Amino acid sequence: MGSGEDRTLAGWTLPETKTDATAQFDQFVTENRFTIAVVFPLVGAVTLLASAEGLLPDPLAFNPYFVLFGTFVMRLPLVAGVFPLVDRRAGLALVALTLYSYGIELVGVRTGWPYGEFIYGVDLGPMLLGEVPFGLPVFFFPLVLNAYLLVLLLLGNRAASTAVRLLATLATVMLVDLVLDPGAVAIGFWIYEMPQFYGVPWQNYAGWLLSGSVAVLLFDFGFDRAGLRRRLRDCPFMLDDLVSFVLLWGGINLFYANWVPVGLAALLGAGLLWTDRFDFDLSETRLGRAVWR
């Protein structure tokens, strides 16, 4: 790949360094920010609700590849944000968390511990060992990392205290799950044997305390906190995945009148507003330039 032409693929110049790749990744997310952060979760909420209400025919209803693709796209701002910070130590933490996630989910499916007895109600794509969604890390990791980043922004210098930082992050992770699980149960993603809080057993949240604690500790160990702060400062879209989460799962809970989860989603949204993460310039996006040119 010695010439400029060799480094061009379908109109894209292939990056030569990690710095070049970061710049291109950042530009792509910035130019498509509204589509990724707002359009995708709204379309996702509508299609998931239509699937749950029997308004979409097979194979469109709960199509696992649509679900995985949509989830992956909404994760792009977070992936772009942490991409330049993934070194050997962060990579090891991610590998360890991946193995832990698959392992604890497999135990949960087979034994009912620590989340309570449950079954998957819809196809979530390829299954590891025929029992655990292969895409589990794509679903789980960002929930914890978004909580961690939001805490860094909200607490500022107070996040320098390890105890304060970790406890606040774990509390935010629990807040996220109190929004996610009731919505997921409402549309039939999974079904618990002992429904209690909007169809979710309290044992599930005890399980999330365990898994969330492990994930928070591994993220805190693996990522350079000063580097995360710099990226949060320089990368305004880094928490857009959490914006998508609020729109998607807040909307689904609103449809089913799950008022406590709706209120908690609004609380997460208020935290994002406090950090100015909802406020972005549409003129920087492809959609904005198409509308206002």
Side-chain angles (χ1 to χ4, degrees), residues 8 33 39 78 90 102 109 112 121 131 152 162 199 212 215-216 227 243 245 261 265 288 291:
T8 301
R33 191 174 179 191
V39 175
L78 181 63
Y102 285 138
V109 169
E131 297 178 89
L152 290 183
T162 300
V216 170
V243 175
F245 176 88
V291 172

Side-chain angles (χ1 to χ4, degrees), residues 175 178-180 182-183 197-198 246 249-269:
L175 179 62
L178 284 164
V179 175
L180 170 66
F197 176 77
Y198 293 100
V246 169
W249 293 106
I252 288 173
N253 279 301
L254 180 62
F255 180 86
Y256 288 107
N258 294 342
W259 297 118
V260 173
V262 168
L264 296 177
L267 184 60
L268 285 171

Side-chain angles (χ1 to χ4, degrees), residues 2-56:
S3 67
E5 292 183 359
D6 292 335
R7 293 193 298 270
T8 301
L9 181 64
W12 286 80
T13 301
L14 299 178
E16 295 181 331
T17 66
K18 191 173 184 178
T19 300
D20 293 338
T22 299
Q24 289 190 16
F25 206 170
D26 286 358
Q27 181 182 358
F28 174 80
V29 173
T30 298
E31 290 182 343
N32 296 281
R33 191 174 179 191
F34 184 80
T35 301
I36 295 171
V38 178
V39 175
F40 261 80
L42 291 180
V43 171
V46 169
T47 55
L48 288 175
L49 289 171
S51 298
E53 295 300 309
L55 301 177
L56 282 182

Side-chain angles (χ1 to χ4, degrees), residues 147-148 151 155 162-174 216:
Y148 188 84
V151 164
L155 293 186
T162 300
V164 170
R165 180 176 67 254
L166 297 184
L167 288 174
T169 301
L170 186 57
T172 307
V173 170
M174 298 305 300
V216 170

